[in-house]
Amino acid sequence: MATNITFTMIKPDAVQNGHMGAIIDKIIKAGFSVKALKYTWLTPDRAGQFYSVHAERPFYNDLVKYMSSGPIVAAILEKTNAVEDFRKLIGATDPSKAEPGTIRNLFAKSIEANAVHGSDSDENAAVEGAFFFSGLERF
Ligand code: CMP
């Protein structure tokens, strides 16, 4: 059964280009409530840990370098059917394939610098949220 929690990061390109506020506004207007929010900067080690599931992929080293190139915003979001609805809101990983009006369509630069991350399952939402936030039982 779907839970009502997902996890997102606003990535370095979107933060650097001043899209942080517009993206958070879009998320809230889409019906998500923000349960936790953090402006932070990943070290290469922490970025590598977060994306360790992709360690064997050809884009992994560049992804780690990019994700530690500037500040990010990490957040836990709540909404009925959160994981699926959030992935619809952000659009396809490759922004050239993202539906018009989605966050990646509006704000992403490339498949790597794709503005936002969204968890792909309830299990990963819990793991990824715990990577950045403690005390989750209070949510
Ligand atoms: P995200 O949804 O955060 O999950 C994994 C990330 O790897 C993805 O967004 C992109 O930033 C990046 N990524 C996925 N596929 C590719 C690719 N083919 N080339 C470069 N980066 C990719």
Side-chain angles (χ1 to χ4, degrees), residues 9-57:
M9 277 188 288
I10 303 175
K11 297 187 179 184
D13 62 296
V15 173
Q16 251 149 22
N17 291 322
H19 299 315
M20 180 174 77
I23 291 173
I24 293 171
D25 188 54
K26 241 181 139 16
I27 290 170
I28 291 169
K29 288 196 170 122
F32 292 85
S33 53
V34 176
K35 307 305 285 184
L37 186 73
K38 186 185 282 183
Y39 182 94
T40 186
W41 193 322
L42 289 167
T43 62
D45 272 2
R46 289 269 295 162
Q49 274 171 42
F50 185 87
Y51 280 115
S52 60
V53 65
H54 295 304
E56 303 306 319
R57 308 287 285 275

Side-chain angles (χ1 to χ4, degrees), residues 70-88:
I72 59 113
V73 176
I76 294 175
L77 306 172
E78 185 176 51
K79 181 182 185 295
T80 308
N81 203 31
V83 166
E84 199 184 327
D85 285 3
F86 192 71
R87 286 173 76 82
K88 274 191 206 137

Side-chain angles (χ1 to χ4, degrees), residues 11 51 54 59 63 93 104 111-112 114 117:
K11 297 187 179 184
Y51 280 115
H54 295 304
F59 57 80
L63 178 62
T93 303
R104 284 171 172 156
I111 193 165
E112 177 182 84
N114 63 356
H117 167 80

Side-chain angles (χ1 to χ4, degrees), residues 11 87 89-96 98-99 101-111 114-118:
K11 297 187 179 184
R87 286 173 76 82
L89 178 68
I90 64 180
T93 303
D94 179 350
S96 70
E99 291 282 315
T102 58
I103 290 176
R104 284 171 172 156
N105 169 260
L106 292 169
F107 301 112
K109 294 235 160 280
S110 66
I111 193 165
N114 63 356
V116 284
H117 167 80

